[in-house]
Every structure is written in structure tokens, then in C-alpha cells.
Amino acid sequence: MNAITPIPSYLSEEHLGPWETYLAQIAEVAPHLAPELRPWIGTLTAPKRSLIVDVPVRRDDGTIIHFEGYRVQHSLSRGPGKGGIRFHPQVTLPEVMALAAWMSVKNAVVNVPFGGAKGGIRVDPKTLSLPELERLTRRYASEINILVGEEKDIPAPDVNTNEQVMAWFMDTYSVNQGKTVTGVVTGKPVMMGGSLGRRDATGRGVFVTTLEALKKQGRTLEGARVAVQGFGNVGEAAARLMAGAGAKIVALQDETGTIINPSGLDLAAVRAHREASRTLFGAPNCEARAAEDFWSIDCDILVVAALENQITEANAGKIKARLVVEGANGPTTPTADAILAERGVLVIPDVLANAGGVTVSYFEWVQDISAFFWSEEEINARLDRIMREAFASVWGLSETRGISLRTASFLLGCERILHARKLRGLYP
Ligand code: GLU
């Protein structure tokens, strides 16, 4: 029996969600896996454990409103679950399943001793006041309390969650345990068990893997034209580090607008404008563009650091960049992936490109449980080394097997997971 759920061919791209994208990626890597590991592949195509919770919140006006929340542990074969928590109006169970599965693969690619997990609440946090957001976070933390713990499953920030949300989560868990447990979440404020370098870590990983890919292509960042989708934790840091290394950020897009300047945006000015007016539109020294024009902008490198399903059949053919770097999880559909490959566009996949965040999360967890904190220089040097080594392993596999960087990343990651799974064996 085939353990891989096939994707019905009558389903067109627009009906395929992130979980189907993940299954297509597993189907792609399956024939390349060592034969002795293949019998275990079914452990990758179904999450180990999924929890759906009701999160009731008392609003400031006294009324009670309910949200649906999730925590999925995809694989725990290599260690405790690890992965962020997302607050977004489009969060669904299959999306969280896919995000948890990508965490399993990502953690194995950079070889940190974690399984893969993810959580989320279907909520638009912009509609909540700060006290409501705190109550939402604390109730959600209590509801998923049965799954989390510093040795069981360790959440972190993701889309629309930040250091403050992690501080509330850590406090709620600690109050219920009767002791301070800093290691239950990562991405905390530095003054209460967080790690130096964590805030920029995902963007830094994007930056380091981009440099490695450019080296392979005999190019550098000096003068390279970069378009960035997403100006949150990942996109902002990646753009800033690339600009610092001589690149020109020629276009930026987020949910509030699309702006361009072919001679390079002034990022500090854009950041100040975005913070003050909550939109990219109207930032100094740039022109506004329609959202769909973003994909055909003249650039050498495209960084996608927003959400899933952004590069699709509809726009993959328009992309001018020769290098696409996935700062977000699952930004490219399988059809778009094939179009980019056909056109010779190199894609650094999410499970490699954005693994810097969880790598420094691992450092934070180690620092918390050993109560011994490292300098930012040590953290960045260790992060850079792990990212460069992971890139080299993936690149080597891609060359020797004649497969894409995505399939090579999946090969490296999935074989590590399945080896652990096979060694641990099936109980009973
Ligand atoms: N949410 C981030 C990711 O998707 C970080 C996860 C973590 O640090 O645990 O990789």
C-alpha cells in the first residue's frame, strides 16, 4: 500500500493548501530516500498528534468571544516538539499541520535536536486591544498546557506573535507550574531569558544562505537589486542586512502596499514611516505600485518573507530574479516551483533559508536550561557556521543527485528524521 496520500489530479492549484503542498514535496523526495527508510515514510505524511482548542476571551466591554486554536506535533522522533505560534485570521488545522511538518524537516536540516510542531489561533489580532490579546494568549497557553513543556514542546514567535506574547505564555505556564520555567518558549525578551541575536536570527539566516548561493553563482551582494515581500521580523532584518552588505532594496511589499525605487529604498526612512503611519504607502523617495506588479519588478534576488502560496502558477513566469529566497514557510506552490525550475531560477527553500530563527531558538533553549548566557558575537558566529554547513550539505546533495535544492533539503532532513524513527522502532 502506498503510504503517501496522492493529490487528486482534478484539484487545481487554487484548491491546494499548504498541507497538500507539503505532501507533494514528500512525494517528490520519496524515490530518493534510502530504501531501508521508505517503510517509515508514513510517519511523515500524518502528524503524530493534533490538538484543537476553544479559546474563550472576555472582551473589554464584558462580552465573551470564542476563537479556535491549535497545536500540532508533527514528529517527535529527534527530540521535543519545536515551532512557533501564529495569530492570523486564515489559520486552519491543515495549515498548522503543514507548518509543523516543515518545522520537523527544517530542524533536521540544521540538525538541531528537535522534532517539529506548530500552533496558531484563527484571529485577527488587530481587532483586539492589548489586554484582550494578553487574555487570549494566556487562555490559549492554558488550553495547550497538556502538550507543552521545556522537555516536551517549545513554542516560539511566528506571524503576528512577538516577544511580549512569549513573555505572557512563559508567565502563564510558570504560574501553573509554581516555578519560573524560562525554557518553555523561545523568542522571549532578552531581559527574561531570551537570547541575544534571536530577533534578527531568521533574517540573518536568509542573508547567510543568500551569500552562499551567490558565491556558487560567482556573484556578490554588492550592487545586487533585491525585492522583498514582507516587512515583518524576517523581511525587515533580511533587507537591512543585505542593504548593509551593499545590495539595493528596489521593492518592498507587505499587506499595506507595494513600493519601489530602482536606485534603492532608504530602509530606515521606510521603517520610520511604516511605524508612524502603519502603511508602506507614502514612504519617502519611492513610488507606489499595484500589488500584482510586484512580481514582474526588475531585480536580481527575490526574498519572499510573508505567507504561504504567494508564488503561484499565475506569477511564477513573470519573476525576473535569478535567485528566490524563501524567508516565509511554504511561499511557493508545487506548480510554481516547477515553472521556476524550468526557467532556471534558483530557489533556496524555506526549510533551509529560514532555519536561522529556530537555530537561535535552540541556542536560547540551551542557555535557559544551563542558566548560562552567551555573547551576541558567539551566537552570530555559531549561527553563521550552522547555516553555511547546512547550505553546503544541501548543495552537495543537489549536485550529486541532480535534484533541486528543495528536494535535496527534504532528502537531508527526512532521512535524518526517518533514521531516528527507525532506530527508536515501533512501540509496542
Ligand atoms: N516560527 C519560526 C519558524 O517558522 C521559528 C520557530 C522556532 O523558533 O521555534 O521557523
Side-chain angles (χ1 to χ4, degrees):
M1 201 183 77
N2 187 355
I4 303 168
T5 315
I7 298 167
S9 53
Y10 57 82
L11 279 182
S12 64
E13 190 187 52
E14 71 215 83
H15 297 111
L16 298 183
W19 180 247
E20 287 77 18
T21 294
Y22 166 75
L23 290 180
Q25 292 163 345
I26 292 292
E28 187 77 30
V29 77
H32 302 281
L33 294 169
E36 71 273 18
L37 299 177
R38 284 186 209 152
W40 294 91
I41 197 167
T43 60
L44 294 174
T45 55
K48 177 181 177 62
R49 197 176 274 142
S50 305
L51 179 65
I52 305 177
V53 294
D54 173 42
V55 189
V57 176
R58 195 181 303 282
R59 299 214 68 159
D60 295 339
D61 66 6
T63 57
I64 296 169
I65 181 165
H66 292 253
F67 299 97
E68 193 160 286
Y70 313 92
R71 184 73 184 172
V72 173
Q73 295 174 337
H74 171 261
S75 165
L76 302 181
S77 296
R78 302 182 70 256
K82 186 85 193 79
I85 289 168
R86 168 176 298 204
F87 292 170
H88 194 273
Q90 258 118 44
V91 167
T92 61
L93 179 61
E95 184 202 33
V96 179
M97 284 160 57
L99 292 165
W102 285 322
M103 286 310 303
S104 300
V105 180
K106 184 188 308 185
N107 291 337
V109 167
V110 284
N111 214 2
V112 292
F114 291 130
K118 200 83 173 199
I121 306 180
R122 184 159 55 253
V123 58
D124 182 356
K126 286 196 289 290
T127 62
L128 301 182
S129 69
L130 200 64
E132 288 168 346
L133 191 68
E134 177 174 352
R135 292 197 286 275
L136 175 83
T137 304
R138 289 187 185 278
R139 183 60 191 247
Y140 170 73
S142 305
E143 293 298 335
I144 68 163
N145 183 57
I146 52 172
L147 291 190
V148 299
E150 63 176 346
E151 292 165 343
K152 289 164 72 179
D153 182 356
I154 305 112
D158 196 76
V159 175
N160 292 332
T161 54
N162 56 19
E163 292 176 9
Q164 175 64 78
V165 172
M166 293 306 114
W168 289 327
F169 195 110
M170 185 284 250
D171 181 70
T172 306
Y173 183 83
S174 297
V175 165
N176 288 320
Q177 295 290 312
K179 60 180 180 183
T180 295
V181 188
T182 51
V184 68
V185 287
T186 59
K188 298 179 295 294
V190 171
M191 65 192 307
M192 42 151 292
S195 177
L196 294 167
R198 176 62 185 88
R199 202 177 288 172
D200 278 359
T202 314
R204 196 175 171 88
V206 166
F207 169 65
V208 172
T209 49
T210 302
L211 285 177
E212 294 303 293
L214 289 174
K215 239 187 261 169
K216 296 284 183 192
Q217 297 180 323
R219 302 191 293 161
T220 66
L221 265 180
E222 191 61 52
R225 297 163 307 160
V226 185
V228 181
Q229 189 200 35
F231 202 48
N233 174 269
V234 184
E236 188 279 326
R240 172 164 36 82
L241 292 166
M242 288 186 188
K248 281 192 292 193
I249 309 302
V250 294
L252 266 182
Q253 171 171 82
D254 74 2
E255 75 276 16
T256 68
T258 304
I259 54 173
I260 69 154
N261 180 345
S263 21
L265 293 158
D266 174 350
L267 285 181
V270 172
R271 211 166 28 239
H273 174 82
R274 174 80 174 80
E275 263 159 40
S277 56
R278 303 198 165 274
T279 170
L280 284 180
F281 283 141
N285 289 326
C286 62
E287 280 175 38
R289 282 281 184 281
E292 61 273 20
D293 294 344
F294 176 75
W295 303 105
S296 49
I297 277 161
D298 254 327
C299 63
D300 305 302
I301 301 168
L302 171 64
V303 177
V304 271
L307 292 169
E308 302 95 73
N309 288 350
Q310 297 302 300
I311 306 183
T312 64
E313 195 172 3
N315 59 31
K318 298 182 190 162
I319 290 171
K320 303 247 172 58
R322 307 313 294 161
L323 178 64
V324 170
V325 192
E326 296 184 336
N329 294 306
T332 311
T333 67
T335 320
D337 221 11
I339 296 171
L340 293 176
E342 170 81 9
R343 296 184 55 228
V345 180
L346 187 66
V347 179
I348 313 180
D350 47 8
V351 291
L352 172 62
N354 73 34
V358 76
T359 300
V360 177
S361 275
Y362 165 57
F363 299 161
E364 179 172 334
W365 181 73
V366 168
Q367 293 171 83
D368 286 341
I369 55 187
S370 59
F372 179 75
F373 289 85
W374 315 346
S375 71
E376 189 155 5
E377 291 72 41
E378 276 176 284
I379 285 156
N380 287 343
R382 285 181 164 150
L383 169 63
D384 290 4
R385 183 171 55 78
I386 289 179
M387 294 307 297
R388 281 199 301 265
E389 285 175 3
F391 184 91
S393 305
V394 168
W395 187 272
L397 268 179
S398 149
E399 292 225 302
T400 52
R401 304 289 190 98
I403 51 181
S404 68
L405 291 183
R406 188 185 313 281
T407 304
S409 301
F410 267 68
L411 184 55
L412 181 67
C414 294
E415 284 203 341
R416 282 182 176 154
I417 300 166
L418 296 176
H419 262 300
R421 191 71 190 80
K422 183 168 179 279
L423 283 168
R424 290 179 67 153
L426 200 60
Y427 170 83

